[in-house]
Amino acid sequence: MFMTPVVTPYVKMVRRAFARCMTSHALKMSIPKLRKVMEEMVEYVDKERLNGPVDVEKLFTRATIDSIGQIAFDWDMGGIKRTTKNLELLIACGRHMRQLALKPWLKFKCKYFPFSADAKRINGDLHKLINLWHEMAVSVRERTDNGDPDIVFWAALKELKDPETNQLLVIEKLRGEIGSVVVAGTDTSSHMLGWTFALLSDHPQVVDKLIDELQSHGLFGNEARDVEFEDF
């Protein structure tokens, strides 16, 4: 959807809907939800560091999928608290899709020998992921609260009408767009955070400057205030 070379009326419609939710105003309204996820991440680090080093790359991935769930869909993805296996399922399916793309014989095996061990494992995971997107799509369609389509993705997607039928998106298309948002946002954002912190760890003088700047704005230390949109 984001990188397709064929820009149909449907693609234009969906892109416009996504663009509405990526404005400065939408970001400002999302800060409280983002702050909640960051607080959960800090609590996790404070707890887990007592047991040894914390794998921040995995932590950023969990925080990212939680942020997307909360901000875009008001949905608990259970990443940081590990109350679900959604992230593990997403990672497994990503691995399966790469294998299917690189190994034509495996794709053939999954299609024509569905009872083989490989097919059961791969198809089973893919069906579980589709079921998750489906559950989220049904939840979006059935919501009675009036979300602002200029702020949250689920409200923007809920009111979209297929250009070909002039009807609301069928569940299959709705779940596909939900999956696109989660997949596209998770890898990109989490890897960006991981590399940012990796580079910072190699440049302590930059970290010192960041801390000084945060302290000067009251955003670091025991008496630090909450981050507001204007701080960005």
Side-chain angles (χ1 to χ4, degrees), residues 93-107:
C93 288
R95 189 181 304 115
H96 296 331
M97 294 305 294
R98 285 191 294 271
Q99 290 177 335
L100 291 172
L102 297 173
K103 300 176 180 178
W105 63 267
L106 184 59
K107 185 176 182 179

PDB file of all heavy atoms in Angstrom, residues 93-107:
ATOM      1  N   CYS A  93       5.788 -14.888  11.129  1.00  0.00           N
ATOM      2  CA  CYS A  93       5.171 -14.779   9.803  1.00  0.00           C
ATOM      3  C   CYS A  93       6.067 -14.011   8.838  1.00  0.00           C
ATOM      4  O   CYS A  93       6.111 -14.322   7.638  1.00  0.00           O
ATOM      5  CB  CYS A  93       3.803 -14.116   9.914  1.00  0.00           C
ATOM      6  SG  CYS A  93       2.556 -15.186  10.662  1.00  0.00           S
ATOM      7  N   GLY A  94       6.793 -13.029   9.346  1.00  0.00           N
ATOM      8  CA  GLY A  94       7.742 -12.319   8.503  1.00  0.00           C
ATOM      9  C   GLY A  94       8.832 -13.259   8.006  1.00  0.00           C
ATOM     10  O   GLY A  94       9.238 -13.214   6.832  1.00  0.00           O
ATOM     11  N   ARG A  95       9.293 -14.131   8.894  1.00  0.00           N
ATOM     12  CA  ARG A  95      10.294 -15.126   8.518  1.00  0.00           C
ATOM     13  C   ARG A  95       9.729 -16.102   7.490  1.00  0.00           C
ATOM     14  O   ARG A  95      10.398 -16.459   6.513  1.00  0.00           O
ATOM     15  CB  ARG A  95      10.754 -15.880   9.770  1.00  0.00           C
ATOM     16  CG  ARG A  95      11.946 -16.795   9.557  1.00  0.00           C
ATOM     17  CD  ARG A  95      12.314 -17.517  10.841  1.00  0.00           C
ATOM     18  NE  ARG A  95      12.580 -16.566  11.918  1.00  0.00           N
ATOM     19  CZ  ARG A  95      11.844 -16.474  13.009  1.00  0.00           C
ATOM     20  NH1 ARG A  95      10.786 -17.259  13.179  1.00  0.00           N
ATOM     21  NH2 ARG A  95      12.152 -15.609  13.952  1.00  0.00           N
ATOM     22  N   HIS A  96       8.474 -16.518   7.708  1.00  0.00           N
ATOM     23  CA  HIS A  96       7.841 -17.443   6.756  1.00  0.00           C
ATOM     24  C   HIS A  96       7.720 -16.817   5.374  1.00  0.00           C
ATOM     25  O   HIS A  96       7.988 -17.478   4.352  1.00  0.00           O
ATOM     26  CB  HIS A  96       6.437 -17.827   7.243  1.00  0.00           C
ATOM     27  CG  HIS A  96       6.421 -18.596   8.525  1.00  0.00           C
ATOM     28  ND1 HIS A  96       7.473 -19.415   8.916  1.00  0.00           N
ATOM     29  CD2 HIS A  96       5.475 -18.689   9.509  1.00  0.00           C
ATOM     30  CE1 HIS A  96       7.170 -19.976  10.076  1.00  0.00           C
ATOM     31  NE2 HIS A  96       5.980 -19.544  10.451  1.00  0.00           N
ATOM     32  N   MET A  97       7.316 -15.551   5.313  1.00  0.00           N
ATOM     33  CA  MET A  97       7.122 -14.894   4.024  1.00  0.00           C
ATOM     34  C   MET A  97       8.438 -14.766   3.266  1.00  0.00           C
ATOM     35  O   MET A  97       8.475 -14.908   2.032  1.00  0.00           O
ATOM     36  CB  MET A  97       6.482 -13.521   4.227  1.00  0.00           C
ATOM     37  CG  MET A  97       5.063 -13.563   4.786  1.00  0.00           C
ATOM     38  SD  MET A  97       3.942 -14.580   3.806  1.00  0.00           S
ATOM     39  CE  MET A  97       3.871 -13.639   2.287  1.00  0.00           C
ATOM     40  N   ARG A  98       9.529 -14.501   3.981  1.00  0.00           N
ATOM     41  CA  ARG A  98      10.843 -14.435   3.322  1.00  0.00           C
ATOM     42  C   ARG A  98      11.235 -15.793   2.770  1.00  0.00           C
ATOM     43  O   ARG A  98      11.755 -15.909   1.648  1.00  0.00           O
ATOM     44  CB  ARG A  98      11.901 -13.927   4.308  1.00  0.00           C
ATOM     45  CG  ARG A  98      11.822 -12.441   4.592  1.00  0.00           C
ATOM     46  CD  ARG A  98      13.043 -11.950   5.349  1.00  0.00           C
ATOM     47  NE  ARG A  98      13.115 -12.513   6.683  1.00  0.00           N
ATOM     48  CZ  ARG A  98      12.551 -11.971   7.745  1.00  0.00           C
ATOM     49  NH1 ARG A  98      11.840 -10.855   7.627  1.00  0.00           N
ATOM     50  NH2 ARG A  98      12.683 -12.521   8.946  1.00  0.00           N
ATOM     51  N   GLN A  99      10.969 -16.850   3.553  1.00  0.00           N
ATOM     52  CA  GLN A  99      11.303 -18.196   3.094  1.00  0.00           C
ATOM     53  C   GLN A  99      10.470 -18.587   1.877  1.00  0.00           C
ATOM     54  O   GLN A  99      10.992 -19.186   0.929  1.00  0.00           O
ATOM     55  CB  GLN A  99      11.068 -19.202   4.230  1.00  0.00           C
ATOM     56  CG  GLN A  99      12.056 -19.086   5.374  1.00  0.00           C
ATOM     57  CD  GLN A  99      11.748 -20.055   6.504  1.00  0.00           C
ATOM     58  OE1 GLN A  99      10.619 -20.482   6.683  1.00  0.00           O
ATOM     59  NE2 GLN A  99      12.777 -20.411   7.266  1.00  0.00           N
ATOM     60  N   LEU A 100       9.195 -18.238   1.888  1.00  0.00           N
ATOM     61  CA  LEU A 100       8.325 -18.569   0.759  1.00  0.00           C
ATOM     62  C   LEU A 100       8.751 -17.815  -0.497  1.00  0.00           C
ATOM     63  O   LEU A 100       8.613 -18.328  -1.614  1.00  0.00           O
ATOM     64  CB  LEU A 100       6.870 -18.231   1.102  1.00  0.00           C
ATOM     65  CG  LEU A 100       6.209 -19.116   2.176  1.00  0.00           C
ATOM     66  CD1 LEU A 100       4.847 -18.551   2.554  1.00  0.00           C
ATOM     67  CD2 LEU A 100       6.080 -20.550   1.695  1.00  0.00           C
ATOM     68  N   ALA A 101       9.255 -16.593  -0.321  1.00  0.00           N
ATOM     69  CA  ALA A 101       9.696 -15.798  -1.468  1.00  0.00           C
ATOM     70  C   ALA A 101      11.002 -16.326  -2.050  1.00  0.00           C
ATOM     71  O   ALA A 101      11.218 -16.276  -3.263  1.00  0.00           O
ATOM     72  CB  ALA A 101       9.856 -14.340  -1.059  1.00  0.00           C
ATOM     73  N   LEU A 102      11.866 -16.844  -1.187  1.00  0.00           N
ATOM     74  CA  LEU A 102      13.195 -17.294  -1.618  1.00  0.00           C
ATOM     75  C   LEU A 102      13.241 -18.774  -1.993  1.00  0.00           C
ATOM     76  O   LEU A 102      14.186 -19.205  -2.661  1.00  0.00           O
ATOM     77  CB  LEU A 102      14.221 -17.013  -0.519  1.00  0.00           C
ATOM     78  CG  LEU A 102      14.444 -15.541  -0.167  1.00  0.00           C
ATOM     79  CD1 LEU A 102      15.357 -15.417   1.042  1.00  0.00           C
ATOM     80  CD2 LEU A 102      15.045 -14.792  -1.358  1.00  0.00           C
ATOM     81  N   LYS A 103      12.241 -19.527  -1.548  1.00  0.00           N
ATOM     82  CA  LYS A 103      12.248 -20.973  -1.789  1.00  0.00           C
ATOM     83  C   LYS A 103      10.936 -21.388  -2.469  1.00  0.00           C
ATOM     84  O   LYS A 103       9.961 -21.748  -1.794  1.00  0.00           O
ATOM     85  CB  LYS A 103      12.419 -21.732  -0.473  1.00  0.00           C
ATOM     86  CG  LYS A 103      13.710 -21.394   0.258  1.00  0.00           C
ATOM     87  CD  LYS A 103      13.786 -22.110   1.606  1.00  0.00           C
ATOM     88  CE  LYS A 103      15.067 -21.776   2.342  1.00  0.00           C
ATOM     89  NZ  LYS A 103      15.122 -22.450   3.677  1.00  0.00           N
ATOM     90  N   PRO A 104      10.900 -21.352  -3.799  1.00  0.00           N
ATOM     91  CA  PRO A 104       9.669 -21.711  -4.523  1.00  0.00           C
ATOM     92  C   PRO A 104       9.155 -23.100  -4.179  1.00  0.00           C
ATOM     93  O   PRO A 104       7.938 -23.314  -4.141  1.00  0.00           O
ATOM     94  CB  PRO A 104      10.105 -21.622  -5.992  1.00  0.00           C
ATOM     95  CG  PRO A 104      11.266 -20.679  -5.992  1.00  0.00           C
ATOM     96  CD  PRO A 104      11.986 -20.936  -4.705  1.00  0.00           C
ATOM     97  N   TRP A 105      10.060 -24.026  -3.921  1.00  0.00           N
ATOM     98  CA  TRP A 105       9.623 -25.383  -3.591  1.00  0.00           C
ATOM     99  C   TRP A 105       8.834 -25.414  -2.286  1.00  0.00           C
ATOM    100  O   TRP A 105       7.907 -26.212  -2.116  1.00  0.00           O
ATOM    101  CB  TRP A 105      10.827 -26.320  -3.483  1.00  0.00           C
ATOM    102  CG  TRP A 105      11.801 -25.961  -2.388  1.00  0.00           C
ATOM    103  CD1 TRP A 105      12.913 -25.189  -2.498  1.00  0.00           C
ATOM    104  CD2 TRP A 105      11.728 -26.353  -1.013  1.00  0.00           C
ATOM    105  NE1 TRP A 105      13.545 -25.053  -1.283  1.00  0.00           N
ATOM    106  CE2 TRP A 105      12.838 -25.780  -0.361  1.00  0.00           C
ATOM    107  CE3 TRP A 105      10.844 -27.137  -0.281  1.00  0.00           C
ATOM    108  CZ2 TRP A 105      13.069 -25.955   0.995  1.00  0.00           C
ATOM    109  CZ3 TRP A 105      11.085 -27.318   1.073  1.00  0.00           C
ATOM    110  CH2 TRP A 105      12.188 -26.731   1.707  1.00  0.00           C
ATOM    111  N   LEU A 106       9.186 -24.523  -1.347  1.00  0.00           N
ATOM    112  CA  LEU A 106       8.471 -24.463  -0.074  1.00  0.00           C
ATOM    113  C   LEU A 106       7.058 -23.916  -0.281  1.00  0.00           C
ATOM    114  O   LEU A 106       6.093 -24.395   0.337  1.00  0.00           O
ATOM    115  CB  LEU A 106       9.242 -23.592   0.917  1.00  0.00           C
ATOM    116  CG  LEU A 106       8.678 -23.511   2.333  1.00  0.00           C
ATOM    117  CD1 LEU A 106       8.610 -24.889   2.983  1.00  0.00           C
ATOM    118  CD2 LEU A 106       9.524 -22.568   3.199  1.00  0.00           C
ATOM    119  N   LYS A 107       6.945 -22.913  -1.141  1.00  0.00           N
ATOM    120  CA  LYS A 107       5.624 -22.361  -1.465  1.00  0.00           C
ATOM    121  C   LYS A 107       4.753 -23.428  -2.115  1.00  0.00           C
ATOM    122  O   LYS A 107       3.555 -23.559  -1.805  1.00  0.00           O
ATOM    123  CB  LYS A 107       5.789 -21.161  -2.397  1.00  0.00           C
ATOM    124  CG  LYS A 107       4.495 -20.425  -2.697  1.00  0.00           C
ATOM    125  CD  LYS A 107       4.778 -19.190  -3.541  1.00  0.00           C
ATOM    126  CE  LYS A 107       3.486 -18.419  -3.816  1.00  0.00           C
ATOM    127  NZ  LYS A 107       3.753 -17.189  -4.629  1.00  0.00           N
TER     128      LYS A 107
END
